[in-house]
């Protein structure tokens, strides 16, 4: 019962994590404009992985996608790739995990096959969670670097200073979702241990002799000292039915009688 609960909870937690990863990837607020030095503004900027948006005080919002790939920074493209890999692995892990649930019976699937599928889905969830956490962390590091560079330029009195950007809500969603996927994958790996049947762990093989059992009898052997001649006693038809000669003396068979 505990194995079924652990597997079901791992599936639910992993599903929530994968859903959060998809949501954070599609969100536009990966970076938001810092309003610390200019709290009153008519325009508010925020950016995502796929487009940048501008919101006015009137409530009108305009978004424009990134129409180029080569013009984007390499780290930005790496974050995109990590999030996409995490989504693909998470969806595949969910499909495998559905068929691996112990409470669902599909045909004559054995528990050992379900254990292997559970382990596979758990590994996929762990990799998906790590990809999401890594991608969000790389993007956050980019924001921190650009933020402090903009701050230094601001205090040095440089003109045409760009807007500073800080963490958006999508980053926190991605961190939490990656952690949930990682925890769910670990729970699935732990549930795999309990799904392995006991007879498959310790297999006892018994061998039965084919055919009739033949018993062999061995006669007693006399062990000599090696210096005395051995006395061989042979019993045969020639000794039991020895013919007597006419003069009454017993005659013994010769060596040619045994041929």
């Amino acid at each position: 019962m505990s194995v079924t609960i652990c597997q079901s909870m791992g599936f639910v937690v992993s599903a929530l994590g994968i859903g959060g990863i998809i949501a954070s990837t599609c969100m536009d607020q990966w970076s938001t404009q810092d309003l610390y030095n200019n709290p009153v503004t008519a325009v508010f900027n925020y950016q995502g992985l796929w487009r940048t948006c501008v919101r006015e005080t009137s409530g009108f919002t305009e978004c424009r996608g990134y129409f180029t790939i080569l013009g984007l920074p390499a780290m930005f493209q790496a974050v995109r790739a990590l999030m996409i890999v995490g989504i693909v692995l998470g969806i595949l892990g969910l499909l495998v995990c559905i068929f691996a649930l112990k409470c669902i019976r599909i045909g004559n699937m054995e528990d050992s096959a379900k254990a292997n599928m559970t382990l596979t889905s758990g590994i996929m969830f762990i990799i998906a969670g790590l990809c999401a956490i890594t991608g969000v962390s790389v993007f956050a590091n980019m924001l921190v670097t650009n933020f402090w560079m903009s701050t230094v330029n601001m205090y040095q009195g440089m003109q045409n200073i760009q807007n500073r950007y800080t963490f958006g809500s999508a980053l926190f969603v991605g961190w939490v979702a990656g952690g949930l996927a990682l925890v769910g994958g670990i729970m699935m790996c732990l549930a795999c241990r309990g799904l392995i049947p006991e007879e498959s762990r310790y297999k006892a093989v018994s061998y039965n002799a084919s055919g009739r059992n033949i018993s062999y009898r061995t006669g007693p052997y006399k062990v000599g000292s090696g210096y005395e001649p051995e006395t061989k006693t042979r019993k045969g038809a020639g000794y039991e039915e020895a013919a007597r000669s006419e003069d009454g003396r017993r005659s013994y068979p010769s060596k040619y009688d045994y041929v």
Side-chain angles (χ1 to χ4, degrees):
M1 188 64 180
S2 60
V3 176
T4 306
I5 294 176
C6 182
Q7 188 185 33
S8 302
M9 289 298 296
F11 172 75
V12 173
V13 173
S14 300
L16 292 176
I18 300 304
I21 294 174
I22 297 174
S24 64
T25 305
C26 298
M27 291 176 66
D28 295 327
Q29 294 184 353
W30 277 68
S31 59
T32 58
Q33 184 179 355
D34 182 33
L35 302 178
Y36 178 74
N37 293 326
N38 189 14
V40 180
T41 180
V43 179
F44 178 72
N45 299 322
Y46 55 94
Q47 299 176 355
L49 293 179
W50 313 103
R51 59 182 183 175
T52 178
C53 300
V54 177
R55 186 178 63 191
E56 300 179 355
T57 55
S58 60
F60 178 75
T61 302
E62 181 181 0
C63 295
R64 179 176 298 179
Y66 301 117
F67 298 105
T68 179
I69 298 178
L70 299 178
L72 298 175
M75 298 300 293
F76 192 86
Q77 297 182 14
V79 172
R80 279 182 170 183
L82 287 172
M83 299 304 292
I84 292 175
V85 170
I87 292 174
V88 172
L89 289 178
I91 293 176
L92 292 178
L94 289 176
L95 294 177
V96 175
C97 186
I98 291 175
F99 296 101
L101 291 176
K102 193 174 182 180
C103 56
I104 298 178
R105 286 290 179 183
I106 302 177
N108 296 325
M109 185 178 296
E110 299 179 355
D111 292 338
S112 59
K114 285 183 174 291
N116 295 331
M117 295 175 65
T118 302
L119 180 61
T120 303
S121 61
I123 295 174
M124 288 184 177
F125 291 147
I126 292 175
I127 297 177
L130 292 177
C131 288
I133 294 174
T134 304
V136 174
S137 300
V138 169
F139 193 89
N141 183 54
M142 293 171 55
L143 286 179
V144 171
T145 304
N146 295 331
F147 183 87
W148 289 112
M149 290 179 62
S150 301
T151 303
V152 170
N153 295 333
M154 182 184 301
Y155 284 107
Q156 288 179 355
M158 299 181 64
Q159 301 296 326
N160 298 328
I161 300 174
Q162 297 181 355
N163 295 326
R164 295 188 305 179
Y165 288 90
T166 184
F167 294 169
S169 57
L171 296 181
F172 301 100
V173 175
W175 273 319
V176 174
L180 289 177
L182 184 62
V183 172
I186 294 174
M187 294 177 67
M188 296 296 291
C189 293
L190 293 177
C192 169
R193 180 67 178 175
L195 290 175
I196 301 177
E198 294 293 337
E199 54 269 12
S200 63
R201 298 180 186 177
Y202 308 100
K203 292 184 179 180
V205 182
S206 59
Y207 298 93
N208 297 325
S210 60
R212 295 182 301 175
N213 295 330
I214 303 174
S215 59
Y216 299 92
R217 295 181 180 179
T218 58
Y221 293 93
K222 182 179 179 181
V223 181
S225 61
Y227 298 98
E228 298 178 357
E230 295 183 357
T231 304
K232 297 183 180 180
T233 305
R234 297 182 181 178
K235 295 183 179 180
Y239 287 95
E240 293 178 356
E241 299 178 358
R244 295 181 179 272
S245 60
E246 294 181 357
D247 56 350
R249 290 182 300 175
R250 188 183 182 93
S251 62
Y252 295 91
S254 62
K255 64 180 180 179
Y256 300 103
D257 296 335
Y258 293 97
V259 180

